[in-house]
Amino acid sequence: MSNVNVKRLVENIRSGTNVYTPLVELVVNAIQAIDEKKITNGLVEIEVIRNGQADIIDRLEDVDGFIVKDNGIGFTKDNRDSFDTLYTEQKIVDGGKGFGRFTCLKYFDRVKVSSTFEDGGAFRDRTFGMGLGKDIIVDEKVAASQKRESGSVVEISGIKSVRFPDKRLDIISRVVVERLLPYFVDRDRTCPRIVIRDAKSPAMPPLSLNDYLGKDDSQIVEMNVDEGTFTLSTNDEQKVFQVRVFKFFSPRSAKSKVSLVAHRREVTDNPLQAYVPEFAEEFYEPGPDQDLAKGRNFVIKAYVFGDYLNDNVSLERGEFRFQTDSDLLNGISQTDIEQRAAEIAQTSVGAEIAARKQRKQARIAEYVETVDFH
């Protein structure tokens, strides 16, 4: 039994999170449960819950919540007790803050957990809800299970005053992929298969988030950079940062951005054009044999990794503890990091950036020659 004023805690969650944060947290928890089980056939399934009137244009109802299923280790006693502990340190090795689950209650009315776990050679079922009173875990029930595989199902539903910004599965999945791209491109650990489907359209095939990368027609492709690391100094100590640059095809209204990552999760993203104005426009890649008719538009996204970011991320993972601009205390600011990352991103599309600068200078020169200032 916990003794926490959950409602007050949730109300005090600061800015930096958004309505996607709970979904990202649940997917990360599912991945960690699969890692803990040490299986090669890991699967995370996301179901979109809808409610209300369907829109006339896209014929889709608003998103009311999500169900996230996994075939991980389940809510064993250790995992259950960790869930019931504020600021638990159980997942601290993997960057866990012991706080992410509370963001679910910031944006959704209900959190329900149903899990099967192995206990002494037998399988047991555990169900509970997340409370808003003094107890984190409420209405808990544990019983013998007829199932023969562990796993968990977590439902968040009853979206609060904030309206979920997207309806289409492809858009929701792309946002999740962008937020969790470091998991998909981790060179040391294989990301489990992650799929998303509509709970009201079970006949529709699910979308695979893994398919955004690694295929001939992938929407996300990593780019080669000559030098992907840089160092900055803080209090006479050198901090090393790594930058990985990606093309994002079919950008629609997206802009090229620089994202700072902590513990394999995107924390902030800001426009690259703030540092290199030529990133304001999207780019174009011709098709096979330089066929312009079969080309695709794309934007650039630079992801920045480093222990300095891991060590300074906020509790809610929505911001960092160092300053945005000049930081006299820490010595390294967010702007310092993003500026250096933008320079590396610029090298990945250097020829096009140089051509854009030349065209810009030519337009200025032409303007100066044609305008009579007298």
Side-chain angles (χ1 to χ4, degrees):
M1 179 179 291
S2 50
N3 186 16
V4 180
N5 189 332
V6 179
K7 185 173 185 292
R8 183 72 180 275
L9 185 150
V10 170
E11 289 173 348
N12 286 338
I13 292 177
R14 296 176 296 169
S15 61
T17 63
N18 61 39
V19 74
Y20 268 102
T21 302
L23 175 59
V24 170
E25 288 291 337
L26 294 187
V27 173
V28 168
N29 289 342
I31 294 173
Q32 291 171 340
I34 290 169
D35 286 346
E36 190 176 354
K37 192 175 177 181
K38 296 180 172 60
I39 55 175
T40 58
N41 63 335
L43 175 63
V44 180
E45 300 174 271
I46 306 168
E47 286 190 8
V48 178
I49 303 171
R50 300 186 186 275
N51 198 7
Q53 281 292 115
D55 189 276
I56 297 175
I57 299 174
D58 53 28
R59 299 180 182 178
L60 291 172
E61 300 171 6
D62 283 342
V63 173
D64 189 57
F66 299 92
I67 299 171
V68 178
K69 305 177 183 179
D70 69 71
N71 60 344
I73 197 168
F75 275 80
T76 60
K77 184 179 186 303
D78 286 347
N79 287 340
R80 179 260 179 225
D81 291 347
S82 174
F83 191 97
D84 199 35
T85 304
L86 181 61
Y87 307 132
T88 175
E89 296 185 354
Q90 187 183 34
K91 298 179 182 178
I92 197 167
V93 174
D94 201 32
K97 298 283 188 179
F99 190 81
R101 62 199 179 283
F102 293 103
T103 62
C104 295
L105 290 174
K106 179 176 176 65
Y107 295 99
F108 297 91
D109 287 325
R110 295 176 294 279
V111 180
K112 295 192 294 184
V113 176
S114 175
S115 182
T116 301
F117 62 97
E118 192 173 357
D119 181 22
F123 285 92
R124 298 177 68 77
D125 292 329
R126 187 191 305 277
T127 62
F128 61 86
M130 197 169 177
L132 274 170
K134 296 292 184 181
D135 292 319
I136 298 172
I137 289 179
V138 296
D139 302 327
E140 183 178 19
K141 296 177 183 176
V142 181
S145 178
Q146 300 299 314
K147 299 175 183 176
R148 289 297 174 263
E149 185 181 20
S150 62
S152 298
V153 179
V154 183
E155 176 183 322
I156 50 175
S157 58
I159 195 165
K160 294 186 178 179
S161 56
V162 178
R163 186 178 181 182
F164 202 83
D166 304 306
K167 292 184 180 182
R168 286 168 39 190
L169 288 187
D170 61 326
I171 297 176
I172 296 171
S173 62
R174 182 162 175 136
V175 172
V176 175
V177 168
E178 287 198 38
R179 293 281 295 270
L180 293 178
L181 187 67
Y183 277 92
F184 292 98
V185 299
D186 193 320
R187 298 185 178 109
D188 299 320
R189 285 191 265 186
T190 301
C191 184
R193 185 164 175 252
I194 304 176
V195 300
I196 185 170
R197 60 170 55 89
D198 201 312
K200 286 197 171 183
S201 304
M204 293 286 290
L207 296 178
S208 172
L209 275 63
N210 308 70
D211 289 348
Y212 278 82
L213 302 96
K215 298 169 64 180
D216 292 338
D217 58 347
S218 294
Q219 292 191 35
I220 303 173
V221 177
E222 186 162 9
M223 304 182 71
N224 292 322
V225 292
D226 293 333
E227 181 54 62
T229 62
F230 64 89
T231 59
L232 292 171
S233 179
T234 172
N235 302 322
D236 297 325
E237 187 178 353
Q238 294 293 310
K239 297 295 182 181
V240 180
F241 299 86
Q242 299 83 39
V243 181
R244 296 177 68 177
V245 182
F246 297 83
K247 291 180 182 179
F248 280 73
F249 291 100
S250 305
R252 298 186 180 89
S253 59
K255 295 290 185 182
S256 292
K257 292 183 177 181
V258 52
S259 294
L260 304 190
V261 175
H263 302 115
R264 297 192 289 170
R265 287 176 246 191
E266 180 184 79
V267 178
T268 64
D269 66 334
N270 285 305
L272 275 168
Q273 69 188 70
Y275 303 98
V276 181
E278 287 73 24
F279 273 114
E281 304 169 36
E282 60 188 33
F283 298 87
Y284 185 80
E285 181 177 282
D289 300 321
Q290 298 298 301
D291 187 345
L292 295 178
K294 296 181 180 179
R296 296 188 291 173
N297 291 343
F298 67 91
V299 293
I300 293 294
K301 199 158 184 184
Y303 286 80
V304 189
F305 307 78
D307 289 340
Y308 184 74
L309 300 175
N310 295 338
D311 295 340
N312 286 284
V313 69
S314 69
L315 189 64
E316 302 91 345
R317 300 185 186 281
E319 57 192 2
F320 292 96
R321 290 194 288 264
F322 45 77
Q323 297 298 308
T324 302
D325 297 315
S326 61
D327 193 323
L328 298 177
L329 179 63
N330 295 297
I332 301 175
S333 69
Q334 184 169 337
T335 299
D336 294 333
I337 300 168
E338 292 176 347
Q339 175 69 58
R340 294 293 296 275
E343 293 167 3
I344 291 176
Q346 181 177 341
T347 65
S348 65
V349 283
E352 176 59 25
I353 291 290
R356 290 182 179 186
K357 287 182 176 179
Q358 288 179 347
R359 291 195 294 268
K360 183 178 179 180
Q361 291 169 352
R363 287 196 299 268
I364 293 173
E366 181 182 2
Y367 176 79
V368 171
E369 290 175 2
T370 56
V371 173
D372 184 359
F373 290 98
H374 300 290

